[in-house]
């Protein structure tokens, strides 16, 4: 039986969200300037939340991660340590938008001292940075699930050969609008992150990602719609544009899906800025019409959002 429980809206007012689908070449400075142009274009279209793709400042691939990695801690890093950090901050501030800065390769170093010697250990992450409209860093997300797959005869990739995983679930409050959950690419295949974020009040789940030409046509849109229908929230996936001259061929097709799992807007494979308006009434309509939130049987199965969840890096 549906409950008559009254729930506060999770999205306080309508907001336009843009996914910026762009291609990254080998020149980091050029990539950052190009991203700035496209963020400006998204803001001019009325977007107040702008999303960039995974590895937007560099080519995607294990061979590239170390050479493009930037030191992010302590925050704020110097411009020499992290030009991408400062470029993203400026993009958000100059355009007055919340900027979910796709992801960039991150370098973290630790020094251990032994008898008569010290050793510097380098650890690499795939990290997303989110900035406020004033250019303030709001949160970071290190990719939790590393992309290690092997589809015989079609595609093999092992991020864990170079990268280490993050260890927390990431949500961020955007005061005028509400809370969003942020994860990266392969994280979308793990519904637990999405379920927890939705049950903690997120109105949207946002995934910068770079699916390939094998898994993209199979699962990219399917996973976006699945996370939306399971959780009755908006879902945005933002991909790089496809560059067949690069070593990694991204599927593209950045998209935004509504709480009833309908695709609101979707790019093709080329560079594009796609914009959708998110409306809290649509979330409430979905949840009242199909009242999953009041019908879950936690007497039969556990609520994953009430278990041990890391919201901070250990």
């Amino acid at each position: 039986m549906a409950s008559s429980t009254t729930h506060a809206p999770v999205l306080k007012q309508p907001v336009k969200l843009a996914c910026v689908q762009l291609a990254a070449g080998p020149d980091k400075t050029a990539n950052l300037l190009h991203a700035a142009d496209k963020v400006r274009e998204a803001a001019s279209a009325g977007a107040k939340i702008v999303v960039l793709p995974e590895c937007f400042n560099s080519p995607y691939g294990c061979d590239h991660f170390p050479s493009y990695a930037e030191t992010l801690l302590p925050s704020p890093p110097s411009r020499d340590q992290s030009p991408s950090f400062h470029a993203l901050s400026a993009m958000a501030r100059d355009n007055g938008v919340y900027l979910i800065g796709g992801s960039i390769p991150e370098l973290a170093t630790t020094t251990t001292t032994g008898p008569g010697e010290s050793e510097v250990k380098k650890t690499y992450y795939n990290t997303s940075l989110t900035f406020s409209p004033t250019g303030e860093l709001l949160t970071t997300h290190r990719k939790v699930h590393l992309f290690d797959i092997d589809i015989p005869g079609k595609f093999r990739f092992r991020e864990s050969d170079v990268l280490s995983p993050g260890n927390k679930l990431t949500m961020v409050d955007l005061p005028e609008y509400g809370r969003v959950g942020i994860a990266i690419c392969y994280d979308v295949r793990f519904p637990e992150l999405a379920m927890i974020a939705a049950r903690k009040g997120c109105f949207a789940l946002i995934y910068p990602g770079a699916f390939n030409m094998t898994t993209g046509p199979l699962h990219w849109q399917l996973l976006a719609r699945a996370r939306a229908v399971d959780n009755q929230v908006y879902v945005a996936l933002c991909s790089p544009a496809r560059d067949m001259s690069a070593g990694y061929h991204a599927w593209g097709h950045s998209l935004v899906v509504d709480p009833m799992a309908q695709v609101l807007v979707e790019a093709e494979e080329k560079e594009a800025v796609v914009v959708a308006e998110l409306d809290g009434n649509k979330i409430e309509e979905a949840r009242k019409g199909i009242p999953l939130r009041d019908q879950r049987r936690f007497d039969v199965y556990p609520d994953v959002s009430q278990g041990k969840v890391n919201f901070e890096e250990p």
Side-chain angles (χ1 to χ4, degrees), residues 147 149-156 189 210-220 242 248-251:
F147 184 48
I149 71 165
D150 188 355
I151 303 174
K154 292 186 178 180
F155 191 83
R156 183 179 187 277
R189 290 187 179 272
F211 274 37
N212 57 73
M213 297 291 289
T214 298
T215 59
L218 284 171
H219 298 147
W220 175 258
R242 191 179 308 164
Y248 183 93
H249 303 148
W251 172 238

Side-chain angles (χ1 to χ4, degrees), residues 12-32:
K12 300 173 187 177
Q13 60 176 311
V15 61
K16 286 186 177 180
L17 179 147
C19 291
V20 175
Q21 181 167 291
L22 50 80
D27 185 332
K28 183 188 286 188
T29 299
N31 294 335
L32 295 176

Side-chain angles (χ1 to χ4, degrees), residues 72-83:
L72 300 178
L73 296 174
S75 177
S78 70
R79 291 184 183 274
D80 290 339
Q81 289 176 311
S82 185

Side-chain angles (χ1 to χ4, degrees), residues 76-112:
S78 70
R79 291 184 183 274
D80 290 339
Q81 289 176 311
S82 185
S84 300
F85 179 104
H86 291 278
L88 288 167
S89 175
M91 291 178 215
R93 182 183 64 248
D94 292 349
N95 295 286
V97 298
Y98 288 101
L99 181 59
I100 298 167
S103 77
I104 65 172
E106 176 192 357
L107 168 63
T109 58
T110 54
T111 302
T112 57

Side-chain angles (χ1 to χ4, degrees), residues 221 224-225 228 233-236 255-264:
Q221 188 188 105
R225 297 183 69 193
V233 295
Y234 288 94
V235 173
L255 76 168
V256 181
V257 179
D258 77 8
M260 290 295 282
Q262 299 300 301
V263 177
L264 297 179

